[in-house]
Amino acid sequence: MKVAIFGGSFNPVHNDHIKIANRLVEELSLDKLFIVPTFVAPHKQGEEVISGEHRLQMLKIAFEGCDKIEVCDYELKKGGISYSYQTVEHFKHTLSLEKLYFIVGSDMLENFPTWKYPERILKSSSLVLVERKNGESCDEQSILKINSLFNASVTRVKVFGETVSSTKIRVYQALGLPLSNLVPSAVESYILNNSLYKQNELYSYVERALPQKRRVHVAGVILTATSLAKKLGADVKKAEISALLHDIAKYENPDNFSDFKLPSETPEDIVHQYLGEYIARIKLGVLDEDVLTAIKYHTTGRPQMSLLEKIIYVADIIEPSRMFLGVEQLREEIKKDFFQGFKICLEEIVDFLLKSGKEVYPLTLDALNYYK
Ligand SMILES: [Fe+2]
Ligand SMILES: [Fe+2]
């Protein structure tokens, strides 16, 4: 009997998990694929994870009717930190198995040698890497490392196409955006009926203040900014809140705020950065100066920007729903070298403004001269 274990937090399960699971069954000619939600993933402690019961129910709904796929509550029942070596040994001993596969993603494979008792995992199972992009060099290096450290081979299964992440689903749901292309409809109903992944008052405010299209943009800025913050060692929570609130004044009229003072000769496109900072501070009670400043200069930039300001400025330009000509190139530059990419973003924006006959705001010119 050929069996594989596919573990993860599944917070929540989404269309990509389903695609991967079906592909694994087919590609490895499995008799059974066990989906094993973790109780607390050792590498994810501290991240917001909803109760195991909800995650389990959504998995059961998502894989209902799949003969060869079974959702297993072993780690949830066991409780405590879920260590893969224990799960693998449990399956190996409980079922009499000819072959046991253990599924890992690229990010997991990289850290595999640092897991608890990796040699015990490899004694009871063989690793299967789910590859999402062709020939990623970190995958090659990780495979070579596992080969040389443990004398073990890694089977590779390619699952290409658009990727979905659980993080995206949580942000979409918190902003009241539809999940229909991200999770099966029964899972979407479950999430809505149980009001899962609803966040704080700030999210509710943005949901009320902005139309759907703008919230899709905001979700993109949150995802891009938090991922940049993680990579660059900036404060991820501040990046999230700044991104969430950066466009809150986009549909507000400054005349409705009697105490608000707009810098003189501010073009219409730029008003919302100043008004946004005002609303965040006065109406929403945001006290964090770093966050307020990141909102205040997100459109224009300025000289001597903090790392957080740069992250919000860049994320606003390159987030996934932006479609303008040249955006793909900017994303590549940012991926290669954030600080160099930031300068290129500034230059491109000024170039675009000049070409379209618009005036360049003095603060933006100052920023350009400062960073050139
Ligand atoms: Fe904006
Ligand atoms: Fe924006």
Side-chain angles (χ1 to χ4, degrees):
M1 192 157 101
K2 276 186 176 179
V3 173
I5 299 169
F6 182 13
S9 51
F10 300 102
N11 182 34
V13 60
H14 52 63
N15 289 348
D16 236 20
H17 293 130
I18 297 168
K19 186 163 82 181
I20 292 168
N22 286 317
R23 184 104 178 95
L24 287 167
V25 169
E26 190 187 292
E27 191 76 5
L28 303 169
S29 308
L30 296 175
D31 296 294
K32 192 65 99 184
L33 174 69
F34 285 103
I35 308 278
V36 187
T38 49
F39 181 71
V40 181
H43 55 286
K44 281 195 173 172
Q45 282 179 65
E47 203 175 278
E48 209 175 311
V49 179
I50 59 155
S51 83
E53 190 49 42
H54 282 313
R55 288 182 286 127
L56 185 70
Q57 285 310 321
M58 288 189 279
L59 280 167
K60 285 185 173 168
I61 293 169
F63 289 106
E64 205 177 350
C66 303
D67 286 355
K68 294 188 170 173
I69 300 175
E70 190 174 322
V71 180
C72 173
D73 63 359
Y74 165 73
E75 290 191 358
L76 292 177
K77 270 199 175 142
K78 187 170 75 67
I81 294 175
S82 313
Y83 288 115
S84 300
Y85 81 92
Q86 292 173 331
T87 305
V88 168
E89 288 176 355
H90 165 80
F91 277 91
K92 183 84 177 172
H93 296 148
T94 317
L95 312 160
S96 64
L97 296 171
E98 176 196 318
K99 190 96 188 171
L100 178 62
Y101 291 110
F102 185 70
I103 314 299
V104 290
S106 298
D107 51 334
M108 292 159 85
L109 191 73
E110 213 178 332
N111 299 322
F112 181 79
T114 68
W115 289 15
K116 196 150 186 176
Y117 305 130
E119 66 287 352
R120 283 173 71 171
I121 298 175
L122 291 167
K123 198 174 165 219
S124 300
S125 68
S126 41
L127 292 185
V128 174
L129 166 69
V130 175
E131 287 184 289
R132 302 314 312 270
K133 283 192 190 108
N134 222 344
E136 284 213 45
S137 57
C138 63
D139 287 351
E140 304 296 338
Q141 283 166 13
S142 306
I143 290 171
L144 286 174
K145 201 168 171 188
I146 288 167
N147 276 330
S148 72
L149 280 177
F150 306 104
N151 192 26
S153 64
V154 176
T155 309
R156 306 160 82 150
V157 173
K158 295 183 197 308
V159 187
F160 294 159
E162 226 179 289
T163 56
V164 180
S165 72
S166 296
T167 318
K168 179 173 178 178
I169 291 156
R170 296 198 296 272
V171 171
Y172 265 49
Q173 166 65 2
L175 286 169
L177 289 166
L179 306 177
S180 35
N181 294 323
L182 308 172
V183 299
S185 57
V187 171
E188 183 179 19
S189 304
Y190 186 93
I191 291 174
L192 295 178
N193 293 339
N194 290 283
S195 306
L196 302 182
Y197 306 112
K198 277 297 171 197
Q199 286 263 7
N200 51 37
E201 238 331 283
L202 297 179
Y203 274 87
S204 318
Y205 180 88
V206 173
E207 187 177 347
R208 291 191 303 271
L210 301 181
Q212 182 165 314
K213 189 165 177 250
R214 181 60 45 178
R215 278 179 282 138
V216 170
H217 163 68
V218 168
V221 179
I222 294 174
L223 292 166
T224 308
T226 49
S227 128
L228 285 171
K230 256 181 224 161
K231 194 173 153 192
L232 298 164
D235 189 313
V236 177
K237 196 72 200 167
K238 288 185 188 198
E240 179 197 342
I241 302 300
S242 314
L244 172 67
L245 301 179
H246 84 283
D247 271 346
I248 39 167
K250 197 81 186 174
Y251 303 87
E252 300 281 4
N253 183 346
D255 297 341
N256 295 335
F257 301 86
S258 53
D259 289 346
F260 171 65
K261 286 193 180 50
L262 187 66
S264 60
E265 294 182 47
T266 302
E268 210 183 318
D269 293 357
I270 289 167
V271 172
H272 78 282
Q273 69 173 19
Y274 295 118
L275 187 56
E277 187 259 359
Y278 174 88
I279 293 175
R281 188 158 41 87
I282 303 298
K283 209 167 160 184
L284 302 177
V286 175
L287 297 171
D288 191 309
E289 288 301 328
D290 298 337
V291 169
L292 292 168
T293 310
I295 299 170
K296 191 171 182 178
Y297 299 105
H298 80 264
T299 313
T300 58
R302 61 164 185 158
Q304 291 187 293
M305 290 163 83
S306 68
L307 177 57
L308 182 65
E309 286 175 67
K310 287 178 185 160
I311 288 174
I312 299 303
Y313 180 84
V314 164
D316 193 23
I317 295 169
I318 64 159
E319 63 89 8
S321 76
R322 295 284 199 197
M323 297 291 201
F324 61 88
L325 196 68
V327 68
E328 208 40 65
Q329 179 68 28
L330 289 179
R331 288 182 186 128
E332 283 303 314
E333 298 288 354
I334 293 293
K335 205 170 161 189
K336 226 167 42 194
D337 178 343
F338 174 79
F339 297 97
Q340 191 57 33
F342 159 75
K343 286 183 202 176
I344 297 172
C345 282
L346 251 179
E347 287 165 2
E348 289 292 314
I349 291 291
V350 172
D351 201 45
F352 168 78
L353 289 171
L354 291 173
K355 276 184 184 148
S356 49
K358 289 190 182 174
E359 65 177 306
V360 182
Y361 195 60
L363 207 49
T364 306
L365 278 181
D366 291 349
L368 185 70
N369 290 328
Y370 183 84
Y371 287 109
K372 217 158 44 181

